[in-house]
Amino acid sequence: MTAIEWRFSPQLIEDALQKWLPVIGADETSSSDAQSDAQLRAAMRHAVFGGGKRLRSQLVLEAAGAVGGKVQNALAPACALEMIHAYSLVHDDLPAMDDADTRRGRPSCHKAFGEARAILAGDALLTLAFEILAADEQEADATRQVRLVRLIAHAAGEAGMVGGQAVDIAWSDAKISDISGQQLLQMHARKTGALICASAEAGAIAGGGSEKQIGVLRDYGRHLGRAFQIADDLLDVIGDPELTGKASSDAVNNKTTATALFGLEGAKELARESRDAALQALESFGPEADSLRHLARYVVERER
Amino acid sequence: MTAIEWRFSPQLIEDALQKWLPVIGADETSSSDAQSDAQLRAAMRHAVFGGGKRLRSQLVLEAAGAVGGKVQNALAPACALEMIHAYSLVHDDLPAMDDADTRRGRPSCHKAFGEARAILAGDALLTLAFEILAADEQEADATRQVRLVRLIAHAAGEAGMVGGQAVDIAWSDAKISDISGQQLLQMHARKTGALICASAEAGAIAGGGSEKQIGVLRDYGRHLGRAFQIADDLLDVIGDPELTGKASSDAVNNKTTATALFGLEGAKELARESRDAALQALESFGPEADSLRHLARYVVERER
């Protein structure tokens, strides 16, 4: 299984991202500040248009579709979550963090644009995410917009993604024997799970789902996020570097992974359990949630 | 003139900031992830409770008061703007940016907490700012909240603060003769002006001001921001390092400043003109805007 069968065309997201981040042109004759603007934008585009899977943004659209919402209303949170994901990778790759020279087979942002500009490009992407969520668009519902800002900020911040990354960094000096399986799953739930879970919930909110539907898709997203991260750890061990695009493995970087703590078979079993729990959560949905079901199977069986 | 006469007690802001960022306790017996959470929070608090002037947050309250609004309704944008200001200083001080070891006479965030945690603390503060703006509070008006998110994200991002900082960094290799006075004022308008201007406008919005009042306070904020930055450049040259708390001057750091481009007297004249323009903008207001008038005089005459 190498491709995902989406209900909504991935081109919708690419077009929306391009609309928010068009190229800023400048040449040698431009003023120094215009050149700076062009470079900063280029660094932001390098991070966003870097061959990612668009898992989070597409999940927003599919969740909105599953609750019967219009895909148009889900594009803002889809783009916002993609911007936040992109910024987090730029900052994670910095020398002071994971010190990664490459990302998806290309130079990491600071390698291509310098460290100062990479820090600022990340900051600008995070800020842009919230500008997008609050955009003054036709049919925008302020109550829903505020709820999305609250949800996504909470998932991306100290309680979620940023806090999880801080724990992961703190663990780079720790012995694996000092970390329990529960602690690892909890760190993953924050570092990668929170944003994936928020994507499913954001789609349900943007699509005008009922509180019950929103709760169901939050549960689905939580299990999906766990399945995704464990599968990621497995790919690091058994995946083909040509397909995963990872230059150096987590083991080399002294990262604590699910395979290190649960063993290969234990991690596989956990991934399958999480997938099944995600499918189970969707029980109350009919065929309108089939692409979400497909996604849950895909994240466990994917090759990159 | 060494203190500002505020209409609203600065303690209101300190209390609100403490509410959003209470200490997270941990000791040697705590788990490694609990210790990481405590350290990340400590780094965030180091940045926010570092003896700043609270200019932006107090400006929000005073602007809300000037339009007859309740100070309670202005505390969220006041805190959000203070978080964004604090994050920007943490990232600006990083080795890849201005490489500052101290800030207001204390170790900079990365000196005290390490570079990785400082980057993450900055990211978390920026994210928290938007969580605060979208908080589900009594009397919160969703339309107003969305407008504040949009305003503040725009001012803090690529078009404003982050973009201005990128230009400033790009200029560290430039010759002063290559930069025009207009370019410098434009860079300042983005790097520091945008957030100060947004503070005045945000206060007017949060206080329920009319569109005319909001426009007036935006104009006031724009002039105030320029006066503030030029005065900052002047203090760098003629100020007492004991009072300003600046360890190394902008001249040493090869920063392009208003005094370098306009000369000492030219810069003083520009600061006075900006102050007068700020006062002029408030013409339609009565004594309810007196603390804003006082502030415009203060920023030009301050000693730190």
Side-chain angles (χ1 to χ4, degrees), chain A residues 10-280:
Chain A
Q11 196 58 40
L12 286 169
I13 291 164
E14 296 309 314
D15 291 348
L17 291 170
Q18 290 284 354
K19 189 196 81 178
W20 282 106
L21 279 178
V23 172
I24 295 182
D27 60 29
E28 289 148 32
T29 65
S30 305
S31 66
S32 53
D33 38 350
Q35 286 185 26
S36 170
D37 286 353
Q39 282 292 303
L40 180 62
R41 176 62 63 87
M44 294 167 77
R45 287 179 52 88
H46 182 87
V48 171
F49 301 104
K53 290 182 284 293
R54 305 291 187 226
L55 174 79
R56 290 153 193 81
S57 46
Q58 194 79 38
L59 177 51
V60 177
L61 302 195
E62 303 292 336
V67 301
K70 282 192 209 166
V71 69
Q72 277 312 114
N73 294 341
L75 282 170
C79 288
L81 281 152
E82 209 57 59
M83 302 289 178
I84 291 174
H85 177 54
Y87 117 77
S88 75
L89 299 182
V90 172
H91 283 191
D92 284 4
D93 284 345
L94 287 168
M97 306 266 264
D98 293 349
D99 195 13
D101 289 352
T102 63
R103 161 77 59 185
R104 298 178 192 132
R106 302 186 315 154
S108 51
C109 191
H110 66 274
K111 275 287 158 185
F113 294 91
E115 210 178 321
R117 198 166 271 132
I119 294 168
L120 292 171
D123 293 343
L125 286 169
L126 173 56
T127 313
L128 177 59
F130 294 103
E131 196 174 348
I132 293 172
L133 286 175
D136 190 13
E137 284 178 336
Q138 256 194 317
E139 289 197 55
D141 172 327
T143 307
R144 215 169 270 171
Q145 283 180 297
V146 172
R147 185 170 176 180
L148 288 170
V149 170
R150 192 163 60 233
L151 167 74
I152 291 170
H154 191 75
E158 199 185 3
M161 188 180 74
V162 171
Q165 171 69 2
V167 173
D168 199 19
I169 293 272
W171 282 353
S172 57
D173 301 323
K175 285 191 304 242
I176 284 178
S177 57
D178 288 342
I179 298 159
S180 72
Q182 268 313 311
Q183 280 181 298
L184 178 74
L185 294 177
Q186 178 58 22
M187 183 276 280
H188 278 169
R190 294 169 74 185
K191 181 176 170 169
T192 51
L195 217 56
I196 292 176
C197 183
S199 301
E201 186 172 350
I205 293 169
S210 67
E211 289 306 319
K212 180 165 179 295
Q213 288 176 317
I214 293 167
V216 161
L217 286 172
R218 185 190 307 126
D219 285 345
Y220 162 83
R222 199 172 63 245
H223 298 301
L224 182 78
R226 178 180 286 192
F228 177 84
Q229 183 57 51
I230 297 170
D232 213 56
D233 284 359
L234 281 163
L235 277 175
D236 195 65
V237 178
I238 59 175
D240 178 349
E242 289 273 321
L243 288 173
T244 62
K246 290 196 180 179
S248 66
S249 76
D250 290 339
V252 172
N253 291 331
N254 195 29
K255 289 276 182 189
T256 309
T257 64
T259 50
L261 278 184
F262 299 104
L264 202 59
E265 285 313 311
K268 281 184 182 173
E269 182 56 29
L270 263 177
R272 283 191 296 261
E273 280 175 21
S274 301
R275 174 200 60 197
D276 294 345
L279 293 172
Q280 179 70 29

